[in-house]
Amino acid sequence: MALIELNDTSKLFGFGDATTLALDDANLVIERGEFVAVMGPSGSGKSTLMNIIGLLDRPSHGVFKLDGKNVSKLRPNRAARVRRDTIGFIFQSFNLLPRLTVLENVALPLAYKGVSLSKRLKMASNMLERVGIQDREYYLPNQLSGGQAQCAAIARALVNDPKLIIADEPTGNLDSAASRLVMELLSEVHKMGNTILFVTHNPELTRYATRVVYMHDGAIIHDEKTALGQVASTAKRALYRLPVTTEEDDLAGVSALMRALPGKPAVPTRKSTRKKAAKTAGPKGTSTRVKRIKK
Amino acid sequence: MRSITSGHVKAGLDSVRGAKWRNFWTILGVIIGVTSVITVVGIGEGIKQQITGQISQMGQDLITVRPSSLKATGSDSNNNLTLLSGLNVTGSLQKDDLDTISKLSGVSSASPLSAVSTNVVADTGKYSGGLTIGTGADLPSLLNQSLAYGAFIGADETDSNVAVLGKNAAAHMFKEDIPLGSTFKINGQEFLVRGIFNNFPATPLSEQADFNNAIFIPYNVAQSLTKNTAFIYEILAKSSSSSNVDKTTKNISAALLKNHGGQKDFAVLKPNENVAVSSGVLNLLTTLITGVAAISLLVGGIGIMNVMLVSVTERMHEIGIRKAIGATNRQIMSQFIIESSVLSVSGGAIGIALAYSIDGLLRLFTNLRPVISWQVVATATIVSLVIGIVFGTLPAVKAARKDPIDALRSS
């Protein structure tokens, strides 16, 4: 039984003329133990997909089965409990509570589960040891470096022993060394048997994934399995053709990547956003500068 | 659930500590409300206890007769307070009323209390600290009051210029410690000090009514001093046994009614009724001020609600994070309700502490003896907790209902 099963799942935002289709009949099956990278330009529906899979949002149409159970119409409180017990979140901006110590932050999901104070602090401490920042237990989040903060966030995501870990651009705010640290940590977690779903703009990071899903305008347009340690072949094309200097360039790169995808028309036809993306990406796409991934 | 509650109490205390001044202003309303309720109720309770103490000291068989319509000059009100403190009040009780009461069967003894407007000159100069009271020889036994030195005015001295002093009066009027046998002047006439009272467990209502400051002289002398204008503001009568107090009260009432030609311009009070008169006024006052304080508590509660609403908006991102990692709506709600309760209960605690300090100051600098009972403190604590819960609910519900994605997106 697949861990995640999306069946013609759609998500609409807004009303009337202002309606946007954030997720367009997505079909996706993710098995246990997969390490999935989700790529796509801004506004392509990656975050919406993550929110729906993470039970932070409900799909407008279609079915979402998590661990075999249909969870597409869960009430908020039930959804909160499922989030607590089966899903761990990692965010781009770490999202640690600034007034709690690292240890308390990591112990927080256990608190909502009702674990006693001493027990949950012990569990949190063990988890911090696993991610290698046990010596920072009593620091406040703003006293940590970005990489350490993200490690703490990973510890928090793992502390409830979730079946699924959702990471929304976990390396987006980190320099390349810290990115590497975080991704190595995630891949270790993956080796322990967890299923991980992460969003990235950096094609290089598909190296860690076993599967790469490409999204555009709310639709899943390409889905490829890759070998661990290999940059996904589709991503690679974009990687060597585009300079990767700023986030803006990143986005442009992914837009260019979209045009390079097999079986997809290079000229956008449906949405104005795509036209815009193509326009901005156009001149840069011709650049001959080579990749710049590690500083 | 418990493990999370303790965490939230800590979080609540943290947030109180985090924004000390803002929170102080927030809970000021609660502080003022709690302090004023406790202080006012304490003062009222203290006065009641003092009066009750005096009554029980006087005994359960003491009957008080008072003029019910008093013609107070210079003041429209004729309540007990002016009765005790005012000087130019003419009453309806006369000397023959006293004689009638004394002769009734069932009355073992009776004494008048008659306030005299006087000019007292003693060793230390003019004394204006207390009343001069004309009374009878039975007063000490009626009040169950013992003398520290000397003796009270004897039954055979009703026309002599002798005086017995209250403790404080003696201390103020004379330089020597025990001024027995000394003389002083009232309205130019010389008086001999016959005795000094022990401390009276005084009524605190007015400095002037305090017997510790008073000078006691024979009633007949008081009359002659004032050319028969000294009015009797109270006749104290003792029933021969405590079992027939009710019957004696009725007898006195009937006899006086006859004396006054059927006009009921006097009141005969049994021991308990005496308290009831004073506590009626006190209860009214206490209720009024408690009402005002309740409004202050309400305003304080609204202040807490406003700050919590702001706090919820400010911490939207935190709410989003908490929801994402699995907090249910109820858990978010309880977090904010606990926080507002921590705020309001700290307000209550500060208010209680403040009330105790005010109580101490009152005891030091006035002759009020406020009594803060544990019931009042418990009620204040519970009320402030309830305020926290009631006024914390709206912000908490607002926080709990927030969509997790919107909350996460807000910074």
Side-chain angles (χ1 to χ4, degrees):
Chain A
M1 185 171 42
L3 182 62
I4 294 169
E5 205 180 325
L6 291 176
N7 247 331
D8 289 340
T9 312
S10 302
K11 179 70 187 179
L12 294 159
F13 286 116
F15 303 94
D17 288 348
T19 307
T20 40
L21 190 59
L23 198 60
D24 186 1
D25 283 344
N27 286 292
L28 184 67
V29 177
I30 295 173
E31 299 293 336
R32 260 168 246 277
E34 283 194 279
F35 194 165
V36 184
V38 179
M39 297 188 75
S42 293
S44 62
K46 305 185 300 292
S47 292
T48 307
L49 181 70
M50 292 292 145
N51 288 340
I52 285 173
I53 293 176
L55 288 173
L56 289 171
D57 210 349
R58 287 196 282 188
S60 311
H61 305 285
V63 177
F64 166 36
K65 283 184 183 167
L66 182 69
D67 210 10
K69 272 175 264 165
N70 186 355
V71 290
S72 40
K73 292 201 162 51
L74 277 191
R75 290 182 176 285
N77 277 334
R78 292 274 308 140
R81 263 178 231 123
V82 176
R83 277 202 297 276
R84 186 188 71 196
D85 296 334
T86 55
I87 301 170
F89 281 96
I90 299 163
F91 302 92
Q92 179 176 6
S93 50
F94 325 130
N95 281 353
L96 298 168
L97 296 185
R99 275 203 291 240
L100 301 185
T101 64
V102 170
L103 189 66
E104 285 166 331
N105 261 295
V106 174
L108 203 56
L110 295 170
Y112 288 121
K113 212 172 184 173
V115 180
S116 75
L117 184 69
S118 57
K119 202 176 164 196
R120 67 179 189 245
L121 289 183
K122 189 151 180 12
M123 287 168 80
S125 181
N126 289 341
M127 195 49 73
L128 282 170
E129 193 184 357
R130 268 183 63 186
V131 301
I133 52 164
Q134 201 186 16
D135 53 336
R136 296 287 188 274
E137 267 180 12
Y138 297 103
Y139 283 49
L140 289 174
N142 60 12
Q143 297 168 316
L144 298 182
S145 71
Q148 287 167 339
Q150 197 60 295
C151 284
I154 291 171
R156 184 179 65 185
L158 290 176
V159 79
N160 260 341
D161 196 18
K163 289 178 181 148
L164 172 67
I165 289 168
I166 294 177
D168 198 347
E169 296 188 53
T171 61
N173 281 4
L174 302 177
D175 60 33
S176 52
S179 293
R180 202 187 151 90
L181 179 81
V182 164
M183 287 315 295
E184 292 291 345
L185 191 58
L186 280 179
S187 86
E188 254 171 65
V189 171
H190 169 239
K191 277 181 205 139
M192 315 273 285
N194 282 68
T195 312
I196 300 176
L197 198 58
F198 77 103
V199 172
T200 185
H201 285 303
N202 187 346
E204 181 67 15
L205 296 184
T206 58
R207 204 184 277 284
Y208 295 96
T210 59
R211 180 177 170 188
V212 185
V213 171
Y214 301 90
M215 293 191 71
H216 199 259
D217 283 349
I220 294 171
I221 52 170
H222 187 64
D223 190 345
E224 103 181 272
K225 296 223 191 273
T226 64
L228 272 177
Q230 296 285 312
V231 175
S233 54
T234 323
K236 210 189 276 175
R237 246 178 281 172
L239 186 67
Y240 291 108
R241 283 182 58 189
L242 287 169
V244 187
T245 44
T246 61
E247 194 184 338
E248 218 173 285
D249 289 341
D250 257 354
L251 303 188
V254 177
S255 303
L257 155 78
M258 291 307 152
R259 277 183 280 113
L261 284 171
K264 194 77 187 174
V267 182
T269 52
R270 272 173 53 194
K271 289 254 164 80
S272 60
T273 51
R274 215 203 283 181
K275 271 179 212 152
K276 210 167 140 198
K279 234 181 267 168
T280 51
K284 280 180 186 162
T286 58
S287 163
T288 50
R289 271 178 61 194
V290 180
K291 63 160 180 171
R292 191 200 60 90
I293 287 187
K294 302 224 165 69
K295 277 179 188 164
Chain B
M1 197 62 207
R2 234 200 48 162
S3 54
I4 190 146
T5 310
S6 65
H8 283 160
V9 171
K10 188 183 167 286
L13 286 171
D14 279 349
S15 88
V16 173
R17 246 180 270 135
K20 274 180 203 124
W21 279 108
R22 189 180 78 179
N23 286 314
F24 174 75
W25 297 121
T26 310
I27 59 181
L28 194 60
V30 178
I31 293 176
I32 292 173
V34 168
T35 309
S36 49
V37 168
I38 294 180
T39 307
V40 167
V41 172
I43 290 174
E45 195 60 32
I47 292 174
K48 254 186 252 172
Q49 280 195 12
Q50 277 166 308
I51 293 170
T52 320
Q54 206 180 31
I55 295 297
S56 64
Q57 194 222 12
M58 287 171 186
Q60 289 300 306
D61 44 10
L62 189 75
I63 298 160
T64 313
V65 184
R66 283 180 183 165
S68 64
S69 69
L70 286 156
K71 291 148 208 151
T73 51
S75 164
D76 288 334
S77 64
N78 54 356
N79 58 27
N80 291 326
L81 297 174
T82 49
L83 166 64
L84 289 169
S85 60
L87 289 171
N88 293 316
V89 189
T90 51
S92 61
L93 294 173
Q94 305 298 329
K95 173 110 172 68
D96 50 332
D97 293 327
L98 173 68
D99 297 338
T100 313
I101 292 170
S102 315
K103 280 169 199 150
L104 278 173
S105 66
V107 176
S108 63
S109 57
S111 274
L113 287 174
S114 155
V116 193
S117 176
T118 54
N119 178 18
V120 180
V121 181
D123 280 12
T124 56
K126 194 169 148 58
Y127 175 72
S128 54
L131 289 173
T132 303
I133 294 170
T135 185
D138 294 327
L139 188 71
S141 73
L142 283 165
L143 295 177
N144 275 349
Q145 177 66 29
S146 59
L147 277 82
Y149 307 104
F152 198 69
I153 304 153
D156 52 346
E157 289 176 319
T158 49
D159 296 308
S160 324
N161 280 7
V162 290
V164 176
L165 307 178
K167 191 172 146 243
N168 297 345
H172 281 110
M173 286 163 66
F174 295 98
K175 286 182 189 114
E176 60 260 57
D177 289 341
I178 304 160
L180 276 186
S182 305
T183 56
F184 64 98
K185 282 182 175 170
I186 300 177
N187 291 4
Q189 292 191 33
E190 197 137 286
F191 279 75
L192 178 73
V193 178
R194 287 280 272 120
I196 297 159
F197 272 114
N198 268 326
N199 191 37
F200 282 92
T203 51
L205 292 173
S206 148
E207 287 277 349
Q208 285 198 315
D210 190 340
F211 282 175
N212 286 321
N213 295 331
I215 300 163
F216 297 89
I217 57 173
Y219 174 63
N220 290 347
V221 178
Q223 286 291 358
S224 61
L225 264 182
T226 57
K227 301 182 181 68
N228 290 333
T229 58
F231 74 98
I232 298 177
Y233 75 75
E234 200 165 270
I235 295 174
L236 300 172
K238 198 163 205 159
S239 170
S240 51
S241 81
S242 48
S243 57
N244 62 0
V245 172
D246 286 353
K247 197 174 152 228
T248 312
T249 311
K250 269 182 209 142
N251 285 346
I252 293 174
S253 222
L256 287 185
L257 207 56
K258 207 169 139 201
N259 263 8
H260 288 229
Q263 203 178 356
K264 188 153 171 58
D265 52 0
F266 58 89
V268 184
L269 303 172
K270 283 182 274 183
N272 297 332
E273 288 174 333
N274 205 342
V275 182
V277 170
S278 330
S279 51
V281 179
L282 280 175
N283 284 342
L284 186 69
L285 265 174
T286 309
T287 314
L288 266 172
I289 300 181
T290 309
V292 174
I295 293 171
S296 150
L297 281 175
L298 183 77
V299 174
I302 292 170
I304 286 180
M305 181 164 76
N306 280 334
V307 166
M308 288 310 290
L309 281 171
V310 172
S311 168
V312 165
T313 313
E314 275 178 0
R315 292 160 66 189
M316 212 35 105
H317 192 65
E318 176 191 329
I319 295 166
I321 298 170
R322 286 179 183 272
K323 285 197 151 191
I325 63 174
T328 60
N329 287 357
R330 239 175 90 179
Q331 283 166 333
I332 296 286
M333 208 168 123
S334 65
Q335 176 192 347
F336 280 93
I337 287 182
I338 288 169
E339 280 196 34
S340 63
S341 304
V342 167
L343 270 181
S344 65
V345 171
S346 347
I350 295 173
I352 290 168
L354 211 57
Y356 269 103
S357 347
I358 290 176
D359 168 71
L361 289 177
L362 284 176
R363 277 166 185 266
L364 269 180
F365 295 112
T366 71
N367 59 355
L368 291 170
R369 297 282 174 273
V371 177
I372 298 177
S373 63
W374 66 266
Q375 288 97 329
V376 175
V377 173
T379 311
T381 313
I382 291 167
V383 165
S384 42
L385 181 65
V386 167
I387 283 175
I389 292 170
V390 168
F391 289 99
T393 301
L394 182 72
V397 166
K398 193 184 157 196
R401 292 224 179 120
K402 198 72 191 170
D403 183 62
I405 297 172
D406 290 346
L408 267 177
R409 215 171 277 147
S410 65
S411 54

